[in-house]
């Protein structure tokens, strides 16, 4: 087959976020990668507090393992190693938390200069109500105490690398984080049992922290002295300790693990390239921050010359998104560049330009949407 | 595309033949573990492609080291840094779920594990590994959802896919046996 595919096309730079909107059928997802399944949520869904499970983004490194409702996971490293399945978890107190799940690499496609990896636009995030049991309660049952010599909790899921030379997806979190009241082993998502795609029968939920920590298809929890070994904890999912110039190769010792999500907001509507009618129109979206609530979301329709406060909805809090809405009156025939800028209650504000890092994590620059107003 | 100052000014652009040959390499080495769409959405430089290819070959991608440079140049050209942004296709929520959902075994249930092991060793082991754990030539079959979608798995074994040949003579009972073996506890976990 002779072909030479030169995708010269229009030089639409991903950094501007100005991808022409493709009409998407309701109830559909965006195929960022077909195999293994990596599916994004269409941006129009980011105008409500809860993302429906049916269109919630799907992400894994190796694809979901065969679903097994009888799966058990073990907890090791304490004085009383145990194995737990769904039935066993019923004996523990059930809790619920609403929290944002976002892939660390969400919006990587918008970082310039580009870096390799899944080139997500905005779709690798969602908010759901997660229910299950506290990891702390399970660790206590397994005889794990706050021993200063045991600082980390290794987490491993049942997903398997495609070949032996591919590193297994093994992560760890500090024991202190594992013991926090909000860190859950979840069995349910938006009121229904976790499906295969979303890590069923059980997965970690760590509000405020990025998705790679929310290990799916849980099969092993092990309390140990050190961070997990292996690529996906020691090399992957790490950020430079301080910002570096684009293109810099950063040594592992100069990196920190990717954990707390920075403040960000996303405009759900209008979609990029929308034609508004003159007069009153509404701008909607969501905003959140990993370690704090949202203090304010500001909207500009003149490329940042002037800002106005949007109204916020939802109880919010660290790792929980709120919906923002803002009405504007626009003149016929105008072309508008709409910006959204969130500030959290710690004073962290989205930057105009995202801080570049070698793996394209935590892109959180102001979201830009261009609309035209019909004459 | 103008060569960057770091590239040799005496370097010739790739010929059509070099592009075509590189494409054969990509099809054979890069789509065992993930779809072509992962490759197609990158917008990175030739140097970055070199680093990616090195990582992939370390992880088992069956690309000969002598081909790495031409493949990097090829990919950097066809997926140029300033090319149009990759636009993901849509999939309905239902179709997305159905891709993973188990199917009734039907005639593929009750296979013979021993016969399945024999069949596996003859037909599948060379690419899918001693114990089904995969290799650069074929992905892991351990705990693979495909084993619980037997009617579809049967079609795949018969027709082949990518660099997997079609085993056209395989019968339903053979696939029932393979599925029984691969699901069984005899597979190292």
């Amino acid at each position: 087959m002779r072909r030479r595919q030169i995708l010269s096309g229009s030089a639409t730079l991903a950094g501007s976020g100005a991808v022409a909107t493709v009409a998407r059928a309701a109830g559909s997802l965006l195929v960022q990668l077909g195999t293994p399944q990596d599916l994004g949520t269409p941006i129009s869904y980011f105008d409500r507090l809860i993302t429906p499970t049916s269109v919630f983004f799907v992400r894994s490194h190796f694809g979901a393992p065969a679903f097994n409702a009888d799966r058990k996971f073990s907890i090791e490293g304490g004085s009383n190693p145990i194995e737990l399945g769904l039935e066993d978890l019923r004996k523990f107190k059930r809790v619920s938390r609403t929290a944002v799940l976002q892939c660390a690499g969400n919006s990587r496609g918008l970082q310039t200069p580009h870096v390799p990896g899944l080139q997500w636009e905005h779709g690798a995030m969602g908010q759901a109500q997660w229910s299950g049991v506290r990891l702390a309660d399970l660790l206590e049952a397994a005889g794990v105490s706050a021993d200063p010599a045991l600082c980390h909790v290794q987490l491993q899921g049942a997903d398997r690398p495609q070949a032996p030379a591919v590193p297994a997806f093994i992560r760890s979190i500090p024991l202190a984080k594992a013991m926090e009241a909000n860190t859950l082993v979840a069995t349910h998502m938006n009121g229904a049992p976790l499906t295969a795609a979303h890590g069923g029968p059980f997965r970690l939920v760590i509000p405020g922290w990025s998705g790679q920590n929310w290990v799916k298809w849980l099969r092993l929890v092990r309390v140990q002295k050190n961070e997990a070994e292996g690529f996906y904890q020691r090399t992957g999912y790490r950020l430079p300790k301080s910002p570096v110039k684009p293109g810099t190769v950063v040594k592992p010792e100069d990196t920190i693990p990717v954990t707390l999500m920075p403040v960000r907001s996303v405009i759900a509507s209008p979609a990029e390239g929308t034609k508004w009618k003159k007069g009153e129109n509404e701008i909607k979206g969501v905003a959140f921050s990993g370690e704090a609530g949202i203090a304010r979301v500001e909207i500009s329709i003149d490329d940042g010359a002037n800002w106005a406060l949007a109204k916020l909805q939802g109880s919010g809090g660290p790792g929980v998104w709120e919906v923002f809405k803002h009405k504007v009156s626009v003149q016929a025939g105008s072309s508008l560049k709409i910006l959204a800028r969130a500030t959290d209650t710690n004073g962290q504000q989205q930057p105009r330009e995202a801080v570049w890092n070698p793996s394209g994590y935590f892109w959180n620059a102001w979201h830009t949407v261009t609309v035209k107003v019909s004459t | 595309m103008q060569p960057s100052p770091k590239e040799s000014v005496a370097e010739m652009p790739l010929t059509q033949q070099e592009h075509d040959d590189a494409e054969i390499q990509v099809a054979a080495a890069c789509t065992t573990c993930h779809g072509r769409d992962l490759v197609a959405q990158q917008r990175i430089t030739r140097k970055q492609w070199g680093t990616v290819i090195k990582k992939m070959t370390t992880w088992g991608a069956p690309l000969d080291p002598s081909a790495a440079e031409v493949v990097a140049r090829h990919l950097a050209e066809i997926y140029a840094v300033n090319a149009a942004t990759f636009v993901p296709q849509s999939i309905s929520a239902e179709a997305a779920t159905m891709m993973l959902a188990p199917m009734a075994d039907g005639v593929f249930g009750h296979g013979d594990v021993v016969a399945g092991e024999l069949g596996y060793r003859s037909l599948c082991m060379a690419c899918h590994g001693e114990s089904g754990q995969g290799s650069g030539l074929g992905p892991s079959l351990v705990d693979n959802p495909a084993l619980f979608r037997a009617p579809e798995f049967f079609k795949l074994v018969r027709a082949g896919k990518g660099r997997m040949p079609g085993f056209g003579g395989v019968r339903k009972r053979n696939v029932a046996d393979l599925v029984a073996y691969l699901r069984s506890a005899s597979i190292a976990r």
Side-chain angles (χ1 to χ4, degrees), chain A residues 1-14 19-20 22-25 27-37 39 54-55 58 61 64-67 71 109 113-120 158 160-167 196-197 231-232 356, chain B residues 14-17 19-20 23 32-38 40-44 48 52 55 58-60 77-97 99-100 102 133-136 138-140 142-145 148 161 188-189:
Chain A
M1 176 168 43
R2 298 182 75 82
R3 70 176 189 277
R4 188 174 187 181
Q5 306 161 295
I6 300 180
L7 302 181
S8 48
S10 61
T12 306
L13 294 174
V19 176
V22 177
R24 307 280 183 184
S28 65
L29 296 109
L30 307 169
V31 184
Q32 197 66 46
L33 179 55
T35 309
Q37 242 186 19
L39 311 175
S54 60
V55 295
V58 176
H61 296 83
F67 184 75
R71 193 181 297 286
H114 296 298
V115 296
L118 283 167
Q119 302 299 307
W120 297 105
R160 291 172 185 277
Q162 295 95 330
V166 177
F231 175 84
Y232 283 109
W356 187 95
Chain B
L14 292 180
T15 61
Q16 183 62 56
Q17 183 167 309
H19 275 295
D20 290 347
E23 217 8 75
T32 298
C33 299
H34 57 69
R36 180 61 183 258
D37 34 357
L38 182 56
Q41 65 193 258
Q42 306 306 317
R43 296 290 179 267
I44 54 178
Q48 286 174 298
V52 168
K55 178 181 171 188
T58 306
W59 287 4
E77 194 172 326
I78 66 171
Y79 303 123
V81 165
N82 61 352
T85 304
F86 172 83
V87 177
Q89 301 198 349
S90 281
I91 187 172
S92 72
E94 197 189 339
T97 308
M99 277 174 65
L100 291 179
Q133 279 153 323
S135 78
S140 168
V142 177
D143 259 347
N144 195 312
F148 297 88
K161 183 182 173 187
R189 288 182 178 276

Side-chain angles (χ1 to χ4, degrees), chain A residues 215-337:
Chain A
V215 171
K216 298 163 76 170
W217 314 289
L218 193 62
R219 80 175 168 100
L220 172 67
V221 174
R222 187 168 70 208
V223 184
Q224 58 193 35
K225 185 160 174 282
N226 297 313
E227 271 193 293
E229 302 273 344
F231 175 84
Y232 283 109
Q233 181 69 31
R234 299 294 181 112
T235 305
Y237 295 106
R238 297 186 81 91
L239 283 166
K241 280 182 181 155
S242 44
V244 296
K245 267 175 35 193
T248 309
V249 174
V250 182
K251 284 181 265 176
E253 55 264 33
D254 296 328
T255 63
I256 51 172
V258 171
T259 54
L260 264 176
M261 300 187 287
V263 61
R264 80 171 295 181
S265 61
V266 171
I267 298 167
S269 71
E272 175 61 37
T274 295
K275 276 212 172 56
W276 268 352
K277 290 203 173 77
K278 71 171 191 221
E280 198 176 73
N281 288 274
E282 193 174 40
I283 298 155
K284 293 189 289 187
V286 294
F288 61 95
S289 178
E291 65 181 340
I294 291 299
R296 62 183 183 278
V297 174
E298 297 162 285
I299 306 293
S300 169
I301 57 170
D302 54 12
D303 199 18
N306 295 285
W307 297 90
L309 275 181
K311 286 192 170 52
L312 293 172
Q313 286 177 349
S315 49
V320 182
W321 84 31
E322 297 179 49
V323 171
F324 67 82
K325 292 185 179 174
H326 184 60
K327 290 197 170 93
V328 292
S329 252
V330 295
Q331 293 183 333
S334 49
S335 180
L336 306 170
K337 204 160 171 202

Side-chain angles (χ1 to χ4, degrees), chain A residues 25-237:
Chain A
S28 65
L29 296 109
L30 307 169
V31 184
Q32 197 66 46
L33 179 55
T35 309
Q37 242 186 19
D38 286 307
L39 311 175
T41 301
I43 202 168
S44 58
Y45 286 95
F46 300 145
D47 65 351
R48 64 202 78 172
L49 287 173
I50 295 292
T51 312
T53 305
S54 60
V55 295
F56 205 99
F57 86 96
V58 176
R59 162 74 184 134
S60 72
H61 296 83
F62 314 130
F67 184 75
N68 180 3
D70 298 327
R71 193 181 297 286
K72 287 183 189 274
F73 66 96
S74 44
I75 305 187
E76 299 174 6
S79 60
N80 179 38
I82 47 178
E83 261 200 356
L84 300 164
L86 280 175
E87 270 304 308
D88 306 301
L89 291 180
R90 291 193 219 288
K91 299 176 197 144
F92 294 85
K93 180 178 172 201
R94 290 198 68 75
V95 294
S96 275
R97 289 287 178 274
T98 296
V100 175
L101 170 57
Q102 178 179 231
C103 178
N106 194 22
S107 308
R108 172 186 290 115
L110 304 181
Q111 181 181 268
T112 50
H114 296 298
V115 296
L118 283 167
Q119 302 299 307
W120 297 105
E121 201 180 345
H122 298 288
M125 65 179 196
Q127 173 150 281
Q129 191 204 48
W130 310 94
S131 14
V133 302
R134 292 202 164 96
L135 179 56
D137 293 346
L138 302 179
L139 292 175
E140 194 185 13
V144 174
S145 56
D147 181 345
L150 300 173
C151 306
H152 296 273
V153 179
Q154 177 155 311
L155 304 163
Q156 193 164 352
D159 53 336
R160 291 172 185 277
Q162 295 95 330
V166 177
F169 184 64
I170 302 174
R171 298 279 311 165
S172 61
I173 59 175
L175 180 59
K177 191 64 183 176
M179 292 296 222
E180 280 182 17
N182 287 332
T183 301
L184 310 182
V185 171
T187 56
H188 287 68
M189 176 181 178
N190 291 335
L194 278 169
T195 61
H198 293 294
F202 11 71
R203 74 174 302 165
L204 261 291
V205 164
I206 311 181
W209 279 27
S210 53
Q212 87 286 1
N213 298 293
W214 298 37
V215 171
K216 298 163 76 170
W217 314 289
L218 193 62
R219 80 175 168 100
L220 172 67
V221 174
R222 187 168 70 208
V223 184
Q224 58 193 35
K225 185 160 174 282
N226 297 313
E227 271 193 293
E229 302 273 344
F231 175 84
Y232 283 109
Q233 181 69 31
R234 299 294 181 112
T235 305
Y237 295 106

